[in-house]
Amino acid sequence: QKEVEQNSGPLSVPEGAIASLNCTYSDRGSQSFFWYRQYSGKSPELIMSIYSNGDKEDGRFTAQLNKASQYVSLLIRDSQPSDSATYLCAVKTTSGNQFYFGTGTSLTVIP
Amino acid sequence: DGGITQSPKYLFRKEGQNVTLSCEQNLNHDAMYWYRQDPGQGLRLIYYSQIVNDFQKGDIAEGYSVSREKKESFPLTVTSAQKNPTAFYLCASSPRSDTQYFGPGTRLTVL
């Protein structure tokens, strides 16, 4: 069983719509959760981190965490073509100092 | 100008050669990591170090070696024992407790 799982997509949304990206994880004791954006040929850049159950908003981005369901999501409101990228979910486990990454969801925002 | 630097950006290796990828950070982060990313796949951990002169193997350490003689530097050597080294290599660093930040990456190709 993979530590972190994401729907690989591709996910396509029209410009201005809400994009919803989902991630599940297997280590129930995980405490730290991250979303990264990766443009083609580039390295991942941190979008958001979340540690507590509930929602965390930063501009057009909202991260949602449900530890009971072992589920974390990222909502992108008013999607723009510049949001087209692969989004990686990462989880830091409690067993060490390692981070586990999902395989990423490819998002395309259609103008 | 703070950040993580990796060099070279592109690297070509002949069969049987060892090559070393550089990673330097001036963020005063304790932990450093090396990942490998293959097309369409997530990040896989090669090695990580939480403190100078100490490092641990990740999931795919075979054929790789590292050193951590200075806090700022964590070079990765891809040895001839690594049979399929063509990939995008990413270095990351992290403060003691949380959040990884990535360098720009090195793209290694075997000729």
Side-chain angles (χ1 to χ4, degrees):
Chain A
Q1 182 185 5
K2 292 184 179 178
E3 296 277 349
V4 180
E5 298 208 40
Q6 296 180 251
N7 186 331
S8 62
L11 174 66
S12 295
V13 299
E15 184 173 355
I18 296 175
S20 177
L21 307 165
N22 304 315
C23 173
T24 58
Y25 59 94
S26 61
D27 184 349
R28 183 170 289 278
S30 297
Q31 298 293 323
S32 306
F33 307 88
F34 309 90
W35 283 100
Y36 289 84
R37 177 175 62 198
Q38 185 175 25
Y39 291 113
S40 180
K42 302 296 185 182
S43 63
E45 54 180 322
L46 181 70
I47 299 175
M48 292 191 69
S49 57
I50 186 167
Y51 308 99
S52 303
N53 279 330
D55 295 358
K56 179 181 178 182
E57 186 174 319
D58 183 0
R60 296 187 296 112
F61 298 97
T62 299
Q64 300 174 318
L65 175 61
N66 184 325
K67 290 185 178 180
S69 300
Q70 296 175 243
Y71 175 90
V72 58
S73 66
L74 180 70
L75 300 178
I76 307 174
R77 292 182 301 281
D78 188 24
S79 295
Q80 301 297 310
S82 59
D83 294 326
S84 298
T86 296
Y87 290 80
L88 302 173
C89 172
V91 175
K92 187 177 180 185
T93 66
T94 55
S95 60
N97 210 24
Q98 292 191 44
F99 294 74
Y100 287 91
F101 288 80
T103 55
T105 298
S106 175
L107 171 67
T108 300
V109 180
I110 303 166
Chain B
D1 189 19
I4 305 169
T5 58
Q6 291 185 243
S7 63
K9 186 174 181 180
Y10 299 97
L11 185 59
F12 299 91
R13 193 194 93 167
K14 294 181 180 179
E15 295 282 351
Q17 270 187 339
N18 293 353
V19 292
T20 297
L21 284 59
S22 170
C23 179
E24 304 276 335
Q25 54 100 0
N26 61 4
L27 302 169
N28 200 34
H29 288 171
D30 290 304
M32 297 186 75
Y33 304 78
W34 274 106
Y35 293 91
R36 168 181 173 146
Q37 188 176 38
D38 295 279
Q41 297 192 30
L43 277 63
R44 292 185 291 167
L45 182 65
I46 304 172
Y47 271 98
Y48 67 103
S49 168
Q50 299 184 48
I51 196 169
V52 174
N53 292 323
D54 187 45
F55 47 83
Q56 287 78 41
K57 293 182 179 180
D59 299 323
I60 56 166
E62 185 175 351
Y64 300 97
S65 66
V66 294
S67 63
R68 186 89 187 273
E69 297 177 1
K70 298 185 299 181
K71 187 174 185 178
E72 307 79 40
S73 178
F74 192 40
L76 174 73
T77 296
V78 184
T79 74
S80 57
Q82 173 48 242
K83 297 307 178 186
N84 186 22
T86 295
F88 189 38
Y89 289 86
L90 290 159
C91 177
S93 70
S94 174
R96 177 167 293 279
S97 59
D98 221 341
T99 311
Q100 284 191 332
Y101 299 92
F102 286 87
T106 292
R107 197 166 297 278
L108 174 62
T109 302
V110 174
L111 299 176

